[in-house]
Amino acid sequence: MAINTTPPPAIATLVPDSEGHGTVLRIVYAHHLDGESLALQLFHRYVHRLQASTQLPAEITRAEVMALLGAQGADCAEGWHSSANEPTEEASDEAWQWVRAQVTRLFPGLSWKVEPDRRMNIPGVDADKVADIVIRARPLASDLTRPATMFDPALSYYADGTHVVMRARGTERFGHTFGMAEGAASYAYQAVRWDDGGADLVAPHVLHRVESQAQDGVA
């Protein structure tokens, strides 16, 4: 179900201009955002800070989010739309993970994706496969262990940003985690961005945390 197919009509009121230049129309309108669409609004606001080598704040407040949404609505009402260079993949990845964490922290009861078929491609992430994984994966703030079932052993999932190694079929591949996603299997997959490029949803059975000693040996 699309979340904004039947938005309520805007409310219009004639009010004096704040600087006394005449009469203007104050428009109050409502629309709906799920977690993913709110995160995308914040992404476009903050990703270019990283692109400009400006560090993102540790946290933002609900008041800052509301002020940002209000400013965006006012800019659109006046016909202003900002344009900037396409962000790098590195900046996009870092900004997207940061805004997802902010949204889930500030609005813990908010559904992440109300429209299951909606696809949002994050700027700077070129491969369709990677973009789809970024969309499907949900943030994981801390390590998680799911208890054993009659079908699967106890499974461990690693917090976002954990350096991991996949060992399967006699090969090793290193990467960093960025969430987990449900799939067709009875267990969830771990989202991993590989150090040598690309990303995959990986079965947790074959993933292992890279300890500092192992990291030093790989470097």
Side-chain angles (χ1 to χ4, degrees), residues 134-156:
V134 171
I135 291 167
R136 291 176 57 190
R138 65 179 187 271
L140 194 58
S142 58
D143 291 354
L144 171 69
T145 299
R146 287 191 170 178
T149 68
M150 63 181 299
F151 302 107
D152 300 296
L155 298 173
S156 296

Side-chain angles (χ1 to χ4, degrees), residues 46-82:
Y46 284 98
V47 67
H48 295 292
R49 289 192 181 186
L50 285 177
Q51 192 79 344
S53 300
T54 301
Q55 186 174 4
L56 296 177
E59 293 182 350
I60 55 175
T61 65
R62 287 176 69 121
E64 289 175 302
V65 174
M66 295 302 102
L68 170 64
L69 293 177
Q72 288 177 336
D75 287 344
C76 288
E78 293 187 358
W80 294 104
H81 296 275
S82 60

Side-chain angles (χ1 to χ4, degrees), residues 172-196:
E172 289 188 341
R173 196 175 186 187
F174 294 84
H176 289 80
T177 59
F178 64 101
M180 58 188 294
E182 303 295 335
S186 58
Y187 51 82
Y189 294 91
Q190 182 95 62
V192 179
R193 183 173 294 283
W194 303 115
D195 293 349
D196 57 358

